[in-house]
Amino acid sequence: MGRTIVVTGAYGFLGRHVARCLSKQGHIVLGIGHGEWLQEDWKFWGLSEWKRSDVTLQALKQYAGEPSAIVHCAGSGSVPFSIQDPLADFERTVETTAHVLEYVRTSAPSCRIVYPSSASVYGNAETIPIREVCPTVPISQYGTHKLMAEQMVTSYSRQFGTSAAIVRLFSVYGCGLRKQLLWDACRKFSNNDYVFTGTGNEVRDLLHVEDAATLLMTATEHASPTCPTVNGGSGHGVTVRDVLLHLTSILQTKGVPTFSGTQRTGDPTRYIADTQGSKAWGWLPTRQWAEGVEEYVTWWKRNFL
Amino acid sequence: MGRTIVVTGAYGFLGRHVARCLSKQGHIVLGIGHGEWLQEDWKFWGLSEWKRSDVTLQALKQYAGEPSAIVHCAGSGSVPFSIQDPLADFERTVETTAHVLEYVRTSAPSCRIVYPSSASVYGNAETIPIREVCPTVPISQYGTHKLMAEQMVTSYSRQFGTSAAIVRLFSVYGCGLRKQLLWDACRKFSNNDYVFTGTGNEVRDLLHVEDAATLLMTATEHASPTCPTVNGGSGHGVTVRDVLLHLTSILQTKGVPTFSGTQRTGDPTRYIADTQGSKAWGWLPTRQWAEGVEEYVTWWKRNFL
């Protein structure tokens, strides 16, 4: 039977996929956050209502009703942005989480919270694959803010018995994502630019956004005052070079990618998720990265070529 | 030669002592924060100016001038308050720190930041005395927020080269403190109430507020982009029972303290600072706890008996 679930940041890349996933399972989904879109668009993405607002205690009290769960997708989603404007990054990621938690504590104590965190909390992990118990030593403002938000969530669980779950998402990608590796590469290739920062040997764990959405939905079932924390990844690593080579082969580009050798600030070198935690929830990713990249290229070509 | 130093939260117990300490060393001290006091009072405490305001980026831009250092004493100072109103505690402790950091990054990049953190970031430490490298696992909202603020400070140092230093203060006490053990006990005893929560065997590392102030002043000299973090304690532990027995003997109370045996939420059992870090800075505490308690009682009697 459907329940009412609030998705904050539902206009965003992750948020809209989460909303649609929940809606397909019969839930009533209320969206709140920033972004101007037409009713037909937010309805298409599964929202029953869309409230354009800051994610604050007051706004949640006014609009959230009595949801059974909140998936808190609002927040910054970019390491470069966190370096350009760290205070705004803090406000989007940490402050909104403080308000969501306080809303639940004061107005909806039985509501479950799912927090989509990020593998960036690990920084340069020493052991691969990365287990959830690994030290959290973020190397970017973005990762620091995600970790701070996590700490507040676990602190509310411990102190107030708030039911919560944290999912540390690895490299989420999919059609519609207008940033990060695939996006940057498609744009570069179309300008006959083949030079990338880094070495190409960086390892990423790519997770299709629809798989990320099903995992976050699963997390709503496992939220509890013990605040379980699981990785959200495929469990498989792929090098940036291999992703780009696959892209060039699909796009039949004239050049081949080359690498400057310089590491981008805040970019760790190797990320692969240990997925035992999410597997124990009965969740498995369904999409292979190579097929996901092909789908992405199709979307990109349709919209931008 | 004196420099201009900003003390946020200068109206508070710690802040005013820091202000006076800096002023005595010839610095020009600007105070900003909440609290309504007479000019003769804030002048007495060493301030050249007092600006009553939230500690925000905008207020700092407007009033802080170009200080050589900021000692960021603003913030919540109470575990019980952090449980009653965790969002306000977050705003006072974490948000103000985000604004101070951003002010320095954008408007005063050569300004040093000293952050008075708290031993509460350690939670129930496994080894005593507690070294700065011990795991930080806070067990209260208050401790969580102090840790979050620390993480932002270290993150700014790493990312933007901000010169900073963190001092994790243990149990700071002294005349004028109207909360915590000595205050509660003096009030109870004057009401012939001798029952305390806890076991009495809790161990505290008491640091006189004037010693805390000299340590924070010393920290302004050691702030750097490596963001050194040191404990602020005496290095000596004393049980709550011994403190209370000393109090009863000074006050010549009729009863003796007894203990309920129940632990107060968020209160760790044993805290003693390892002081190698602060010693390496050439700082040493000058006050013994027994003498400090006597001074406190004198103050308390003069004002409240």
Side-chain angles (χ1 to χ4, degrees):
Chain A
M1 200 184 72
R3 305 172 299 164
T4 298
I5 297 183
V6 169
V7 176
T8 69
Y11 179 77
F13 173 63
L14 178 65
R16 61 179 63 193
H17 280 278
V18 170
R20 191 159 66 177
C21 175
L22 290 165
S23 165
K24 280 182 177 170
Q25 290 297 312
H27 299 300
I28 296 161
V29 186
L30 311 181
I32 182 169
H34 287 289
E36 202 166 352
W37 51 350
L38 299 172
Q39 183 169 347
E40 63 189 75
D41 289 330
W42 54 256
K43 292 232 165 191
F44 170 80
W45 283 98
L47 296 180
S48 298
E49 284 182 44
W50 168 244
K51 182 62 203 174
R52 197 173 151 210
S53 163
D54 283 337
V55 177
T56 62
L57 175 59
Q58 199 183 355
L60 288 165
K61 280 186 174 176
Q62 202 166 346
Y63 305 116
E66 284 198 41
S68 63
I70 297 178
V71 185
H72 179 41
C73 297
S76 157
S78 158
V79 170
F81 177 77
S82 77
I83 297 170
Q84 278 162 35
D85 194 342
L87 184 58
D89 196 86
F90 166 81
E91 287 165 352
R92 292 180 191 186
T93 296
V94 189
E95 276 190 30
T96 60
T97 304
H99 281 251
V100 166
L101 288 164
E102 190 65 354
Y103 164 70
V104 168
R105 185 181 78 91
T106 56
S107 300
S110 66
C111 174
R112 294 162 172 218
I113 296 177
V114 170
Y115 185 59
S117 183
S118 160
S120 66
V121 299
Y122 295 117
N124 277 316
E126 284 169 17
T127 54
I128 302 290
I130 306 174
R131 294 178 59 203
E132 290 86 350
V133 292
C134 284
T136 47
V137 192
I139 58 167
S140 67
Q141 295 302 109
Y142 174 74
T144 299
H145 294 154
K146 294 303 275 188
L147 180 60
M148 290 165 65
E150 276 195 16
Q151 287 167 334
M152 264 194 299
V153 174
T154 52
S155 185
Y156 264 72
S157 285
R158 186 192 56 236
Q159 187 87 61
F160 305 115
T162 306
S163 286
I166 293 170
V167 179
R168 292 177 176 157
L169 295 170
F170 282 62
S171 297
V172 177
Y173 75 100
C175 302
L177 184 61
R178 295 172 191 224
K179 63 185 176 188
Q180 296 168 3
L181 183 61
L182 297 181
W183 173 256
D184 293 344
C186 286
R187 282 170 40 123
K188 275 184 187 237
F189 292 155
S190 70
N191 291 321
N192 288 314
D193 177 0
Y194 299 94
V195 185
F196 290 82
T197 53
T199 62
N201 300 320
E202 299 85 359
V203 174
R204 295 288 174 267
D205 183 330
L206 296 180
L207 183 69
H208 194 282
V209 66
E210 289 175 5
D211 283 330
T214 60
L215 177 54
L216 292 169
M217 185 172 68
T218 305
T220 63
E221 305 298 330
H222 292 271
S224 84
T226 64
C227 192
T229 299
V230 305
N231 286 328
S234 71
H236 300 287
V238 55
T239 64
V240 167
R241 175 177 284 108
D242 283 348
V243 172
L244 294 179
L245 285 173
H246 190 51
L247 266 184
T248 55
S249 107
I250 305 167
L251 285 164
Q252 298 182 296
T253 58
K254 288 174 196 152
V256 289
T258 58
F259 297 93
S260 69
T262 55
Q263 200 184 344
R264 204 174 60 164
T265 312
D267 257 3
T269 49
R270 296 178 76 217
Y271 266 154
I272 304 172
D274 178 295
T275 57
Q276 289 178 61
S278 54
K279 273 186 191 151
W281 285 355
W283 172 89
L284 283 174
T286 61
R287 310 288 287 268
Q288 303 291 321
W289 74 264
E291 158 208 319
V293 167
E294 287 154 32
E295 180 202 64
Y296 187 89
V297 169
T298 304
W299 167 79
W300 192 81
K301 277 181 166 171
R302 193 171 60 236
N303 289 277
F304 304 102
L305 270 198
Chain B
M1 199 184 69
R3 305 171 299 164
T4 299
I5 296 183
V6 169
V7 176
T8 69
Y11 179 78
F13 173 63
L14 179 64
R16 60 179 63 192
H17 280 278
V18 170
R20 191 161 66 177
C21 175
L22 290 165
S23 164
K24 279 183 179 171
Q25 290 298 313
H27 299 299
I28 296 161
V29 186
L30 311 182
I32 182 169
H34 287 290
E36 202 166 353
W37 49 352
L38 299 172
Q39 182 168 348
E40 63 189 77
D41 289 331
W42 53 256
K43 292 231 166 191
F44 170 80
W45 284 98
L47 296 180
S48 299
E49 285 181 44
W50 168 246
K51 181 63 203 173
R52 198 175 150 207
S53 163
D54 283 337
V55 178
T56 63
L57 176 59
Q58 198 183 356
L60 289 166
K61 280 186 172 175
Q62 202 168 347
Y63 304 115
E66 285 198 41
S68 63
I70 297 178
V71 186
H72 179 42
C73 297
S76 157
S78 159
V79 169
F81 177 77
S82 77
I83 297 169
Q84 278 162 37
D85 194 342
L87 184 57
D89 196 86
F90 166 82
E91 288 165 351
R92 291 179 192 186
T93 296
V94 189
E95 277 189 29
T96 60
T97 305
H99 281 252
V100 166
L101 288 164
E102 190 64 353
Y103 165 70
V104 168
R105 184 181 78 89
T106 57
S107 300
S110 66
C111 175
R112 294 162 173 216
I113 295 177
V114 170
Y115 185 58
S117 183
S118 160
S120 65
V121 299
Y122 296 116
N124 277 315
E126 284 168 18
T127 55
I128 302 290
I130 305 175
R131 294 178 59 203
E132 290 86 349
V133 292
C134 283
T136 47
V137 192
I139 58 167
S140 67
Q141 295 302 110
Y142 174 72
T144 299
H145 294 155
K146 294 301 274 188
L147 181 59
M148 289 165 65
E150 277 196 13
Q151 287 167 334
M152 264 194 300
V153 174
T154 52
S155 186
Y156 264 72
S157 286
R158 187 191 55 235
Q159 187 88 60
F160 305 115
T162 307
S163 286
I166 293 169
V167 179
R168 292 176 176 157
L169 295 169
F170 282 61
S171 297
V172 177
Y173 75 99
C175 301
L177 184 62
R178 295 170 190 226
K179 63 186 176 188
Q180 296 166 3
L181 183 60
L182 297 181
W183 174 255
D184 293 344
C186 285
R187 281 169 43 121
K188 277 185 186 235
F189 292 155
S190 69
N191 291 322
N192 288 314
D193 177 359
Y194 299 93
V195 185
F196 291 82
T197 54
T199 62
N201 300 321
E202 300 85 359
V203 175
R204 294 288 175 265
D205 182 332
L206 296 180
L207 183 69
H208 194 283
V209 67
E210 290 175 5
D211 283 329
T214 60
L215 178 53
L216 292 169
M217 185 172 67
T218 305
T220 64
E221 305 298 330
H222 292 272
S224 83
T226 63
C227 192
T229 300
V230 304
N231 285 330
S234 71
H236 300 288
V238 56
T239 64
V240 168
R241 175 178 284 107
D242 283 348
V243 172
L244 295 179
L245 285 173
H246 189 52
L247 265 185
T248 55
S249 107
I250 305 167
L251 285 163
Q252 298 181 295
T253 58
K254 288 173 198 155
V256 290
T258 59
F259 298 92
S260 69
T262 55
Q263 201 185 343
R264 202 174 63 165
T265 312
D267 257 3
T269 48
R270 296 178 78 217
Y271 267 156
I272 305 172
D274 177 296
T275 58
Q276 291 179 57
S278 53
K279 273 186 190 151
W281 285 354
W283 171 88
L284 283 174
T286 62
R287 310 288 286 269
Q288 303 291 321
W289 73 264
E291 159 208 318
V293 167
E294 287 154 31
E295 179 201 65
Y296 188 89
V297 169
T298 305
W299 167 79
W300 192 82
K301 278 180 167 172
R302 192 172 59 234
N303 288 278
F304 305 102
L305 271 197

